[in-house]
Coordinates of all heavy atoms in Angstrom, one line a residue:
M1 N 5.9 15.2 16.8 CA 4.9 14.7 17.7 C 3.6 15.5 17.3 O 2.5 14.9 17.4 CB 5.2 14.8 19.1 CG 4.2 14.3 20.1 SD 3.9 12.5 19.8 CE 2.9 12.2 21.1
S2 N 3.6 16.8 17.0 CA 2.5 17.6 16.8 C 1.8 17.1 15.5 O 0.6 17.3 15.4 CB 2.8 19.1 16.6 OG 3.6 19.3 15.5
K3 N 2.5 16.6 14.6 CA 1.9 16.0 13.3 C 1.0 14.8 13.7 O -0.1 14.6 13.2 CB 2.9 15.6 12.3 CG 2.4 15.1 11.1 CD 3.6 14.7 10.1 CE 2.9 14.2 8.9 NZ 4.0 13.9 7.9
D4 N 1.5 14.0 14.7 CA 0.7 12.9 15.2 C -0.5 13.3 15.9 O -1.6 12.7 15.7 CB 1.6 12.0 16.1 CG 2.7 11.3 15.5 OD1 2.7 11.1 14.2 OD2 3.7 10.9 16.0
I5 N -0.5 14.4 16.6 CA -1.6 14.8 17.3 C -2.7 15.4 16.4 O -3.8 15.0 16.5 CB -1.1 16.0 18.3 CG1 -0.4 15.5 19.5 CG2 -2.4 16.7 18.9 CD1 0.3 16.4 20.4
T6 N -2.3 15.9 15.3 CA -3.1 16.4 14.3 C -3.9 15.2 13.6 O -5.1 15.3 13.4 CB -2.4 17.2 13.2 OG1 -1.8 18.4 13.8 CG2 -3.3 17.8 12.1
V7 N -3.1 14.2 13.3 CA -3.7 12.9 12.7 C -4.7 12.2 13.7 O -5.8 11.9 13.3 CB -2.6 12.0 12.4 CG1 -3.1 10.6 12.0 CG2 -1.8 12.4 11.2
I8 N -4.3 12.2 15.0 CA -5.2 11.6 16.0 C -6.5 12.5 16.1 O -7.7 12.0 16.2 CB -4.6 11.6 17.3 CG1 -3.3 10.5 17.2 CG2 -5.5 11.1 18.4 CD1 -2.3 10.5 18.2
D9 N -6.4 13.8 16.1 CA -7.6 14.7 16.1 C -8.5 14.5 14.9 O -9.7 14.5 15.0 CB -7.1 16.1 16.2 CG -6.5 16.6 17.6 OD1 -6.8 15.8 18.6 OD2 -5.9 17.6 17.7
E10 N -7.8 14.4 13.8 CA -8.7 14.1 12.5 C -9.3 12.9 12.6 O -10.5 12.7 12.2 CB -7.8 14.2 11.3 CG -8.6 14.1 10.1 CD -7.8 14.3 8.8 OE1 -6.6 14.7 8.9 OE2 -8.4 14.3 7.7
F11 N -8.7 11.8 13.1 CA -9.3 10.5 13.3 C -10.6 10.5 14.1 O -11.6 10.0 13.8 CB -8.2 9.6 13.9 CG -8.8 8.2 14.4 CD1 -9.1 7.3 13.4 CD2 -8.9 7.9 15.7 CE1 -9.6 6.0 13.8 CE2 -9.4 6.7 16.1 CZ -9.6 5.6 15.1
H12 N -10.5 11.2 15.3 CA -11.6 11.4 16.1 C -12.7 12.2 15.5 O -13.9 12.0 15.8 CB -11.2 12.1 17.5 CG -10.6 11.0 18.4 ND1 -11.2 10.1 19.2 CD2 -9.2 10.8 18.6 CE1 -10.4 9.4 19.8 NE2 -9.1 9.8 19.5
Q13 N -12.4 13.1 14.6 CA -13.5 13.9 13.8 C -14.1 13.0 12.7 O -15.4 13.1 12.5 CB -12.7 15.1 13.2 CG -12.4 16.1 14.2 CD -11.7 17.2 13.5 OE1 -11.5 17.3 12.3 NE2 -11.1 18.2 14.3
V14 N -13.3 12.2 12.1 CA -14.0 11.4 10.9 C -14.8 10.2 11.3 O -15.6 9.7 10.7 CB -13.0 11.1 9.8 CG1 -12.3 12.3 9.2 CG2 -12.0 10.1 10.3
V15 N -14.4 9.6 12.5 CA -15.1 8.4 13.0 C -16.3 9.0 13.7 O -16.2 9.6 14.8 CB -14.2 7.5 14.0 CG1 -14.9 6.5 14.6 CG2 -13.0 7.1 13.2
N16 N -17.5 8.7 13.1 CA -18.7 9.4 13.6 C -19.5 8.5 14.5 O -20.7 8.6 14.7 CB -19.7 9.9 12.5 CG -20.0 8.7 11.6 OD1 -19.6 7.5 11.8 ND2 -20.9 9.0 10.6
M17 N -18.8 7.5 15.2 CA -19.5 6.7 16.1 C -18.7 6.5 17.4 O -17.5 6.6 17.3 CB -19.7 5.2 15.6 CG -20.6 5.2 14.3 SD -20.6 3.6 13.7 CE -22.0 2.8 14.5
T18 N -19.3 6.4 18.5 CA -18.6 6.2 19.7 C -18.1 4.7 19.7 O -18.7 3.8 19.0 CB -19.5 6.4 20.9 OG1 -20.5 5.4 21.0 CG2 -20.1 7.8 21.0
P19 N -17.2 4.3 20.6 CA -16.7 2.9 20.7 C -18.0 2.0 20.9 O -18.1 0.9 20.3 CB -15.8 2.9 21.8 CG -15.2 4.3 21.8 CD -16.4 5.2 21.4
K20 N -18.9 2.4 21.8 CA -20.1 1.6 22.2 C -20.9 1.4 20.9 O -21.5 0.3 20.7 CB -20.8 2.2 23.3 CG -21.9 1.3 23.8 CD -22.6 1.9 25.0 CE -23.6 0.9 25.5 NZ -23.7 0.7 26.9
E21 N -21.1 2.5 20.2 CA -22.0 2.4 18.9 C -21.4 1.6 17.9 O -22.1 0.8 17.3 CB -22.3 3.9 18.4 CG -23.1 4.7 19.2 CD -23.2 6.2 18.8 OE1 -22.1 6.6 18.2 OE2 -24.1 6.8 19.0
L22 N -20.1 1.6 17.8 CA -19.5 0.8 16.8 C -19.4 -0.6 17.2 O -19.6 -1.5 16.3 CB -17.9 1.4 16.6 CG -17.1 0.6 15.5 CD1 -17.8 0.6 14.3 CD2 -15.7 1.4 15.4
E23 N -19.3 -0.9 18.4 CA -19.3 -2.2 18.9 C -20.7 -2.8 18.7 O -20.8 -4.0 18.3 CB -19.0 -2.3 20.4 CG -18.8 -3.6 20.9 CD -18.2 -3.7 22.4 OE1 -18.2 -2.6 23.0 OE2 -17.7 -4.8 22.8
S24 N -21.8 -2.1 19.0 CA -23.2 -2.5 18.7 C -23.3 -2.9 17.2 O -24.0 -3.8 16.9 CB -24.1 -1.4 19.1 OG -24.2 -1.4 20.6
W25 N -22.9 -1.9 16.4 CA -23.0 -2.2 14.9 C -22.2 -3.5 14.5 O -22.8 -4.2 13.7 CB -22.4 -1.0 14.2 CG -22.1 -1.2 12.7 CD1 -20.8 -1.3 12.2 CD2 -23.0 -1.6 11.6 NE1 -20.9 -1.7 10.9 CE2 -22.2 -1.9 10.5 CE3 -24.4 -1.7 11.5 CZ2 -22.8 -2.3 9.3 CZ3 -24.9 -2.1 10.4 CH2 -24.1 -2.3 9.2
L26 N -21.0 -3.6 15.0 CA -20.3 -4.9 14.6 C -21.0 -6.1 15.1 O -20.8 -7.3 14.5 CB -18.9 -4.7 15.2 CG -18.0 -3.7 14.6 CD1 -16.6 -3.6 15.3 CD2 -17.8 -4.0 13.1
D27 N -21.9 -6.1 16.1 CA -22.6 -7.3 16.5 C -23.8 -7.5 15.7 O -24.5 -8.6 15.9 CB -23.0 -7.0 17.9 CG -21.8 -7.2 18.9 OD1 -20.8 -7.7 18.5 OD2 -22.0 -6.7 20.0
T28 N -24.1 -6.7 14.8 CA -25.4 -6.9 13.9 C -25.1 -7.9 12.8 O -23.9 -8.0 12.4 CB -26.0 -5.6 13.3 OG1 -24.9 -5.1 12.4 CG2 -26.1 -4.6 14.3
D29 N -26.1 -8.6 12.3 CA -26.0 -9.4 11.3 C -25.6 -8.7 10.0 O -24.9 -9.1 9.1 CB -27.4 -10.2 11.0 CG -27.7 -11.3 12.0 OD1 -26.7 -11.7 12.8 OD2 -28.9 -11.5 12.2
E30 N -26.2 -7.4 9.8 CA -25.8 -6.6 8.7 C -24.3 -6.4 8.5 O -23.7 -6.4 7.4 CB -26.7 -5.3 8.7 CG -26.4 -4.5 7.5 CD -27.3 -3.2 7.5 OE1 -27.9 -2.9 8.5 OE2 -27.2 -2.5 6.5
S31 N -23.7 -6.1 9.6 CA -22.3 -5.8 9.5 C -21.5 -7.0 9.2 O -20.4 -6.9 8.6 CB -21.7 -5.3 10.9 OG -21.5 -6.3 11.9
Q32 N -22.0 -8.2 9.4 CA -21.3 -9.4 9.2 C -21.4 -9.8 7.6 O -20.6 -10.6 7.2 CB -22.0 -10.7 9.9 CG -21.9 -10.5 11.4 CD -20.5 -10.5 12.0 OE1 -19.7 -11.3 11.4 NE2 -20.3 -9.9 13.1
T33 N -22.3 -9.2 7.0 CA -22.5 -9.5 5.6 C -21.8 -8.6 4.6 O -21.8 -8.9 3.3 CB -24.0 -9.5 5.2 OG1 -24.5 -8.2 5.4 CG2 -24.8 -10.5 6.1
V34 N -21.1 -7.6 5.1 CA -20.5 -6.6 4.2 C -19.0 -6.7 4.3 O -18.5 -7.1 5.3 CB -21.0 -5.1 4.6 CG1 -22.4 -5.0 4.2 CG2 -20.6 -4.7 6.0
G35 N -18.2 -6.2 3.3 CA -16.8 -6.2 3.3 C -16.3 -7.4 2.7 O -16.7 -8.4 2.5
Q36 N -15.0 -7.1 2.3 CA -14.2 -8.2 1.6 C -13.5 -9.1 2.6 O -12.9 -8.6 3.6 CB -13.1 -7.4 0.8 CG -12.4 -8.3 -0.2 CD -11.6 -7.5 -1.1 OE1 -11.3 -6.3 -0.9 NE2 -11.1 -8.0 -2.1
K37 N -13.5 -10.4 2.3 CA -12.8 -11.2 3.4 C -11.5 -11.7 2.8 O -11.3 -11.8 1.5 CB -13.7 -12.5 3.6 CG -15.1 -12.1 4.1 CD -15.8 -13.2 4.8 CE -17.0 -12.6 5.4 NZ -17.8 -13.5 6.1
D38 N -10.6 -11.9 3.6 CA -9.1 -12.2 3.2 C -8.8 -13.6 3.7 O -8.0 -13.7 4.4 CB -8.2 -11.2 3.9 CG -6.8 -11.2 3.3 OD1 -6.6 -11.8 2.2 OD2 -6.0 -10.8 4.1
G39 N -9.6 -14.6 3.3 CA -9.4 -16.0 3.6 C -9.7 -16.3 5.1 O -9.3 -17.2 5.6
D40 N -10.6 -15.4 5.7 CA -10.9 -15.5 7.1 C -12.4 -15.4 7.1 O -13.1 -15.0 6.2 CB -10.2 -14.4 7.8 CG -10.2 -14.6 9.3 OD1 -10.7 -15.6 9.8 OD2 -9.5 -13.9 10.0
D41 N -13.0 -15.8 8.3 CA -14.5 -15.6 8.4 C -14.8 -14.2 8.6 O -16.0 -13.8 8.3 CB -15.0 -16.4 9.6 CG -15.0 -17.9 9.3 OD1 -15.0 -18.4 8.1 OD2 -15.0 -18.7 10.2
E42 N -14.0 -13.4 9.1 CA -14.3 -12.0 9.4 C -13.7 -11.1 8.3 O -12.6 -11.2 7.9 CB -13.7 -11.6 10.7 CG -14.1 -10.2 11.2 CD -13.4 -9.9 12.6 OE1 -12.4 -10.4 12.9 OE2 -14.1 -9.1 13.2
S43 N -14.5 -10.1 7.8 CA -14.1 -9.2 6.8 C -12.9 -8.3 7.2 O -12.8 -8.0 8.5 CB -15.2 -8.3 6.2 OG -15.6 -7.4 7.1
I44 N -12.3 -7.8 6.3 CA -11.2 -6.8 6.6 C -11.7 -5.6 7.3 O -11.1 -5.1 8.3 CB -10.4 -6.4 5.3 CG1 -9.7 -7.7 4.7 CG2 -9.5 -5.4 5.5 CD1 -9.2 -7.5 3.3
C45 N -12.8 -5.1 6.8 CA -13.4 -3.8 7.4 C -13.9 -4.2 8.8 O -14.0 -3.3 9.6 CB -14.5 -3.3 6.6 SG -13.9 -2.6 5.1
H46 N -14.5 -5.3 9.1 CA -14.9 -5.8 10.4 C -13.8 -5.8 11.4 O -13.9 -5.3 12.5 CB -15.6 -7.1 10.3 CG -16.6 -7.3 11.4 ND1 -16.3 -7.8 12.6 CD2 -18.0 -7.1 11.3 CE1 -17.4 -7.9 13.2 NE2 -18.5 -7.5 12.6
K47 N -12.6 -6.4 10.9 CA -11.4 -6.4 11.8 C -11.0 -4.9 12.1 O -10.6 -4.6 13.2 CB -10.3 -7.1 11.1 CG -10.5 -8.6 11.1 CD -9.3 -9.3 10.4 CE -9.6 -10.7 10.1 NZ -8.5 -11.3 9.4
S48 N -11.0 -4.1 11.0 CA -10.7 -2.7 11.2 C -11.6 -2.1 12.2 O -11.2 -1.2 13.0 CB -10.7 -2.0 9.9 OG -10.3 -0.6 10.0
G49 N -12.9 -2.4 12.2 CA -13.8 -1.8 13.1 C -13.5 -2.1 14.6 O -13.6 -1.2 15.4
R50 N -13.0 -3.3 14.8 CA -12.6 -3.7 16.2 C -11.4 -3.0 16.6 O -11.3 -2.6 17.7 CB -12.5 -5.1 16.2 CG -13.7 -6.0 16.2 CD -13.6 -7.5 16.5 NE -12.9 -8.2 15.4 CZ -11.6 -8.7 15.7 NH1 -11.1 -8.6 16.8 NH2 -11.1 -9.4 14.7
R51 N -10.5 -2.7 15.6 CA -9.3 -2.0 15.9 C -9.6 -0.6 16.2 O -9.0 0.1 17.1 CB -8.3 -2.2 14.8 CG -7.0 -1.4 14.9 CD -5.9 -2.3 15.3 NE -4.6 -1.6 15.6 CZ -3.7 -1.4 14.6 NH1 -3.9 -1.9 13.4 NH2 -2.6 -0.8 15.0
I52 N -10.5 0.0 15.5 CA -11.0 1.4 15.6 C -11.4 1.6 17.1 O -11.2 2.6 17.8 CB -11.9 1.8 14.5 CG1 -11.4 1.9 13.2 CG2 -12.7 3.2 15.0 CD1 -12.2 2.0 12.0
I53 N -12.3 0.6 17.5 CA -12.8 0.7 18.9 C -11.6 0.8 19.9 O -11.7 1.6 20.8 CB -13.7 -0.5 19.3 CG1 -15.0 -0.5 18.4 CG2 -13.9 -0.6 20.8 CD1 -15.7 -1.8 18.5
Q54 N -10.6 0.0 19.7 CA -9.4 0.1 20.6 C -8.8 1.4 20.5 O -8.4 2.0 21.6 CB -8.5 -1.0 20.3 CG -9.0 -2.4 20.5 CD -8.1 -3.5 19.9 OE1 -7.2 -3.2 19.2 NE2 -8.2 -4.7 20.4
L55 N -8.6 2.0 19.3 CA -7.9 3.2 19.0 C -8.7 4.3 19.6 O -8.2 5.4 20.2 CB -7.6 3.4 17.6 CG -6.6 2.4 17.0 CD1 -6.6 2.5 15.6 CD2 -5.2 2.6 17.6
L56 N -10.0 4.3 19.5 CA -10.8 5.4 20.1 C -10.8 5.4 21.6 O -10.8 6.4 22.3 CB -12.4 5.2 19.7 CG -12.7 5.5 18.2 CD1 -14.1 5.1 17.9 CD2 -12.5 7.0 17.9
Q57 N -10.6 4.3 22.2 CA -10.6 4.2 23.7 C -9.2 4.5 24.3 O -9.0 4.9 25.5 CB -10.9 2.8 24.1 CG -12.3 2.4 23.8 CD -12.7 1.0 24.1 OE1 -11.9 0.1 24.0 NE2 -13.9 0.7 24.4
R58 N -8.2 4.5 23.4 CA -6.8 4.8 23.8 C -6.6 6.4 23.9 O -7.2 7.2 23.1 CB -5.8 4.3 22.8 CG -4.3 4.5 23.3 CD -3.4 3.8 22.4 NE -3.7 2.3 22.6 CZ -3.2 1.4 21.6 NH1 -2.6 1.8 20.6 NH2 -3.5 0.1 21.9
K59 N -5.9 6.8 24.9 CA -5.7 8.3 25.1 C -4.3 8.7 24.6 O -4.1 9.9 24.2 CB -5.9 8.7 26.5 CG -7.3 8.4 27.1 CD -8.3 9.1 26.4 CE -9.7 8.9 26.9 NZ -10.7 9.2 26.0
D60 N -3.4 7.9 24.6 CA -2.0 8.2 24.3 C -1.2 6.9 24.0 O -1.8 5.8 23.9 CB -1.3 9.1 25.3 CG -1.4 8.5 26.7 OD1 -1.6 7.3 26.8 OD2 -1.1 9.2 27.6
D61 N 0.0 7.0 23.8 CA 0.9 5.9 23.7 C 0.5 5.2 22.3 O 0.5 3.9 22.3 CB 0.9 4.9 24.8 CG 1.6 5.5 26.1 OD1 2.4 6.4 25.8 OD2 1.2 5.1 27.1
Y62 N 0.3 5.9 21.3 CA 0.0 5.3 19.9 C 1.3 4.8 19.3 O 2.3 5.5 19.4 CB -0.7 6.3 19.0 CG -2.0 6.7 19.5 CD1 -2.2 7.9 20.2 CD2 -3.1 6.0 19.1 CE1 -3.4 8.3 20.6 CE2 -4.3 6.3 19.5 CZ -4.5 7.6 20.3 OH -5.8 8.0 20.7
T63 N 1.3 3.5 18.9 CA 2.5 2.9 18.2 C 2.5 3.4 16.7 O 1.5 4.0 16.2 CB 2.5 1.5 18.2 OG1 1.3 1.1 17.4 CG2 2.3 0.9 19.6
N64 N 3.6 3.2 16.1 CA 3.6 3.5 14.6 C 2.7 2.8 13.8 O 2.1 3.3 12.9 CB 5.0 3.3 14.1 CG 6.0 4.4 14.6 OD1 5.7 5.5 14.9 ND2 7.3 4.0 14.6
N65 N 2.4 1.6 14.3 CA 1.3 0.6 13.7 C 0.0 1.3 13.9 O -0.7 1.3 12.9 CB 1.5 -0.8 14.2 CG 0.8 -1.8 13.3 OD1 0.1 -1.5 12.5 ND2 1.0 -3.0 13.7
D66 N -0.3 1.8 15.1 CA -1.5 2.5 15.4 C -1.8 3.7 14.5 O -2.8 3.8 13.9 CB -1.7 2.9 16.8 CG -1.7 1.8 17.9 OD1 -2.1 0.6 17.4 OD2 -1.2 2.0 19.0
L67 N -0.7 4.5 14.4 CA -0.8 5.7 13.6 C -1.0 5.3 12.1 O -1.7 6.0 11.4 CB 0.5 6.6 13.8 CG 0.5 7.3 15.2 CD1 1.9 7.8 15.3 CD2 -0.5 8.2 15.4
S68 N -0.4 4.3 11.6 CA -0.5 3.9 10.2 C -2.0 3.4 10.0 O -2.6 3.8 9.0 CB 0.4 2.7 10.0 OG 0.2 2.2 8.7
H69 N -2.6 2.8 11.0 CA -4.0 2.3 10.9 C -4.9 3.5 10.8 O -5.9 3.6 10.1 CB -4.4 1.3 11.8 CG -5.7 0.6 11.6 ND1 -5.9 -0.4 10.6 CD2 -7.0 0.8 12.2 CE1 -7.1 -0.7 10.6 NE2 -7.8 0.0 11.4
I70 N -4.6 4.5 11.8 CA -5.4 5.7 11.9 C -5.4 6.5 10.5 O -6.4 6.9 10.1 CB -4.9 6.6 13.1 CG1 -5.3 5.9 14.5 CG2 -5.4 8.0 13.0 CD1 -4.6 6.6 15.6
K71 N -4.3 6.6 10.0 CA -4.1 7.2 8.6 C -5.0 6.5 7.6 O -5.5 7.1 6.8 CB -2.6 7.4 8.3 CG -2.0 8.3 9.1 CD -0.4 8.5 8.8 CE 0.3 9.3 9.7 NZ 1.8 9.2 9.5
K72 N -5.0 5.2 7.5 CA -5.7 4.4 6.6 C -7.2 4.6 6.8 O -7.9 4.8 5.8 CB -5.3 2.9 6.8 CG -5.9 2.1 5.8 CD -5.6 0.6 6.0 CE -4.1 0.2 6.1 NZ -3.9 -1.2 6.3
V73 N -7.6 4.7 8.1 CA -9.1 5.0 8.4 C -9.5 6.4 7.8 O -10.5 6.5 7.2 CB -9.4 4.8 9.8 CG1 -10.7 5.3 10.2 CG2 -9.2 3.4 10.3
I74 N -8.6 7.3 8.1 CA -8.9 8.8 7.6 C -9.0 8.7 6.1 O -10.0 9.4 5.6 CB -7.8 9.7 8.1 CG1 -7.9 9.9 9.7 CG2 -8.0 11.1 7.5 CD1 -6.8 10.5 10.3
S75 N -8.0 8.2 5.5 CA -8.1 8.0 4.0 C -9.3 7.4 3.4 O -9.9 7.8 2.5 CB -6.8 7.4 3.5 OG -6.9 7.2 2.2
Y76 N -9.7 6.3 4.1 CA -10.8 5.5 3.7 C -12.1 6.4 3.9 O -13.0 6.4 2.9 CB -11.0 4.3 4.6 CG -12.2 3.3 4.3 CD1 -12.1 2.4 3.3 CD2 -13.3 3.6 5.0 CE1 -13.3 1.6 3.1 CE2 -14.5 2.9 4.8 CZ -14.4 1.8 3.8 OH -15.5 1.1 3.5
V77 N -12.4 7.0 4.9 CA -13.5 7.8 5.2 C -13.6 9.0 4.2 O -14.6 9.2 3.5 CB -13.5 8.4 6.6 CG1 -14.6 9.4 6.8 CG2 -13.7 7.3 7.6
H78 N -12.4 9.7 4.0 CA -12.4 10.8 3.0 C -12.8 10.3 1.7 O -13.5 10.9 0.9 CB -11.2 11.6 3.0 CG -10.9 12.4 4.2 ND1 -11.8 13.3 4.6 CD2 -9.9 12.5 5.1 CE1 -11.4 14.0 5.7 NE2 -10.2 13.4 6.0
R79 N -12.3 9.1 1.3 CA -12.5 8.6 -0.2 C -13.9 8.3 -0.2 O -14.6 8.6 -1.3 CB -11.7 7.4 -0.3 CG -11.7 6.8 -1.7 CD -10.6 5.7 -1.9 NE -10.7 4.6 -1.1 CZ -9.9 4.2 0.0 NH1 -8.9 5.1 0.2 NH2 -10.1 3.2 0.7
H80 N -14.6 7.6 0.7 CA -16.0 7.2 0.6 C -17.0 8.4 0.8 O -18.0 8.4 0.0 CB -16.3 6.1 1.7 CG -15.8 4.8 1.2 ND1 -16.4 3.9 0.4 CD2 -14.5 4.3 1.3 CE1 -15.7 2.9 0.2 NE2 -14.5 3.1 0.6
V81 N -16.6 9.4 1.5 CA -17.4 10.6 1.6 C -17.4 11.3 0.2 O -18.4 11.8 -0.2 CB -17.0 11.5 2.8 CG1 -17.6 12.9 2.6 CG2 -17.3 10.9 4.1
A82 N -16.2 11.4 -0.3 CA -16.1 12.0 -1.7 C -17.0 11.3 -2.8 O -17.4 11.9 -3.7 CB -14.6 12.1 -2.0
Q83 N -17.1 10.1 -2.6 CA -17.9 9.2 -3.6 C -19.5 9.3 -3.4 O -20.3 9.0 -4.3 CB -17.5 7.8 -3.5 CG -16.1 7.5 -3.9 CD -15.7 6.1 -3.8 OE1 -16.4 5.3 -3.1 NE2 -14.5 5.8 -4.1
Q84 N -19.9 9.8 -2.2 CA -21.3 10.0 -2.0 C -21.8 11.1 -2.8 O -21.3 12.1 -3.0 CB -21.5 10.4 -0.5 CG -21.0 9.3 0.5 CD -22.0 8.3 0.8 OE1 -23.2 8.5 0.7 NE2 -21.6 7.1 1.2
P85 N -23.2 10.9 -3.3 CA -23.8 12.0 -4.0 C -24.2 13.1 -3.0 O -24.4 12.8 -1.9 CB -25.1 11.3 -4.6 CG -25.3 10.2 -3.8 CD -23.9 9.7 -3.3
R86 N -24.0 14.3 -3.5 CA -24.3 15.4 -2.6 C -25.8 15.5 -2.5 O -26.6 15.5 -3.5 CB -23.8 16.7 -3.1 CG -22.3 16.6 -3.2 CD -21.6 18.1 -3.2 NE -20.2 17.9 -3.2 CZ -19.5 18.2 -2.2 NH1 -19.8 18.7 -1.1 NH2 -18.2 18.1 -2.3
V87 N -26.3 15.8 -1.2 CA -27.8 15.9 -1.0 C -28.0 17.3 -0.7 O -27.4 17.9 0.1 CB -28.2 15.0 0.2 CG1 -29.6 15.2 0.5 CG2 -27.9 13.6 -0.1
I88 N -29.0 17.9 -1.4 CA -29.5 19.3 -1.2 C -30.8 19.3 -0.6 O -31.7 18.7 -1.2 CB -29.2 20.1 -2.5 CG1 -27.8 20.1 -2.9 CG2 -29.8 21.5 -2.2 CD1 -27.6 20.7 -4.4
W89 N -31.0 20.0 0.4 CA -32.4 20.1 1.1 C -33.1 21.3 0.5 O -32.5 22.5 0.6 CB -32.4 20.2 2.5 CG -33.8 20.3 3.0 CD1 -34.4 21.4 3.5 CD2 -34.8 19.2 3.2 NE1 -35.6 21.2 4.0 CE2 -35.9 19.8 3.8 CE3 -34.8 17.9 3.0 CZ2 -37.1 19.1 4.1 CZ3 -36.0 17.2 3.3 CH2 -37.1 17.8 3.7
N90 N -34.2 21.3 -0.3 CA -34.8 22.4 -0.8 C -35.9 22.8 0.2 O -36.9 22.1 0.4 CB -35.5 22.0 -2.1 CG -36.2 23.2 -2.8 OD1 -36.8 24.0 -2.1 ND2 -36.2 23.2 -4.1
T91 N -35.7 24.0 0.8 CA -36.5 24.4 1.9 C -37.9 24.8 1.3 O -39.0 24.7 2.1 CB -36.0 25.5 2.7 OG1 -35.6 26.6 1.9 CG2 -34.7 25.1 3.5
H92 N -37.9 25.2 0.1 CA -39.3 25.7 -0.5 C -40.1 24.5 -0.8 O -41.4 24.5 -0.6 CB -39.0 26.5 -1.7 CG -38.2 27.8 -1.4 ND1 -38.8 28.9 -0.7 CD2 -37.0 28.2 -1.7 CE1 -38.0 29.8 -0.5 NE2 -36.8 29.4 -1.1
A93 N -39.5 23.4 -1.3 CA -40.3 22.4 -1.7 C -40.4 21.3 -0.7 O -41.2 20.4 -0.7 CB -39.6 21.6 -3.0
G94 N -39.6 21.5 0.4 CA -39.5 20.5 1.4 C -39.2 19.1 1.1 O -39.8 18.1 1.5
A95 N -38.1 19.0 0.2 CA -37.7 17.8 -0.3 C -36.2 17.7 -0.5 O -35.5 18.8 -0.6 CB -38.4 17.6 -1.7
I96 N -35.8 16.5 -0.5 CA -34.3 16.4 -0.9 C -34.1 16.4 -2.4 O -34.9 15.6 -3.1 CB -33.8 15.1 -0.2 CG1 -33.8 15.2 1.3 CG2 -32.3 14.8 -0.7 CD1 -33.5 14.0 2.0
L97 N -33.2 17.1 -2.9 CA -32.9 17.1 -4.3 C -31.8 16.2 -4.7 O -30.8 16.2 -4.0 CB -32.8 18.6 -4.8 CG -33.9 19.5 -4.5 CD1 -33.4 20.9 -4.9 CD2 -35.1 19.1 -5.2

């Protein structure tokens, strides 16, 4: 069980939006235009976002399916953060390098 708690804690650390913020984002036109669709009108990531809202609001009683999705989200976030270019702020020049 402690392993599950660690995974849940990490999930709450890597998801950088509150449920309300994520819900607002999912309601935007921009969010509707991104992501891969799986024969449905809603993208896979959009569906995942709605599921993330539910998981963020839950305090306990996570199912194995919930934990599997949480691990998938953690992996996705880490993978995409690693692909981002590193930004360095130069305090002397007052610019991003």
Side-chain angles (χ1 to χ4, degrees):
M1 183 63 172
S2 65
K3 184 178 179 183
D4 292 342
I5 291 171
T6 302
V7 168
I8 293 164
D9 288 343
E10 185 174 0
F11 172 71
H12 284 276
Q13 289 173 7
V14 300
V15 175
N16 64 354
M17 297 174 90
T18 66
K20 185 173 182 139
E21 290 169 332
L22 184 51
E23 190 170 14
S24 292
W25 159 249
L26 291 174
D27 286 340
T28 66
D29 289 339
E30 185 178 1
S31 80
Q32 301 290 331
T33 62
V34 297
Q36 189 175 16
K37 299 199 177 181
D38 189 22
D40 200 350
D41 286 340
E42 185 176 34
S43 74
I44 295 166
C45 289
H46 206 270
K47 287 179 189 176
S48 179
R50 288 190 293 111
R51 178 101 186 264
I52 291 167
I53 291 169
Q54 295 171 342
L55 293 169
L56 288 171
Q57 293 170 333
R58 185 172 296 161
K59 299 297 180 203
D60 54 16
D61 294 331
Y62 295 95
T63 66
N64 286 337
N65 197 347
D66 293 337
L67 292 170
S68 176
H69 192 75
I70 285 170
K71 290 173 186 175
K72 188 183 299 185
V73 170
I74 292 168
S75 176
Y76 177 89
V77 170
H78 286 307
R79 187 171 61 252
H80 284 270
V81 167
Q83 292 172 355
Q84 298 270 339
R86 298 206 181 244
V87 175
I88 301 170
W89 180 259
N90 183 326
T91 55
H92 299 290
I96 296 175
L97 304 175

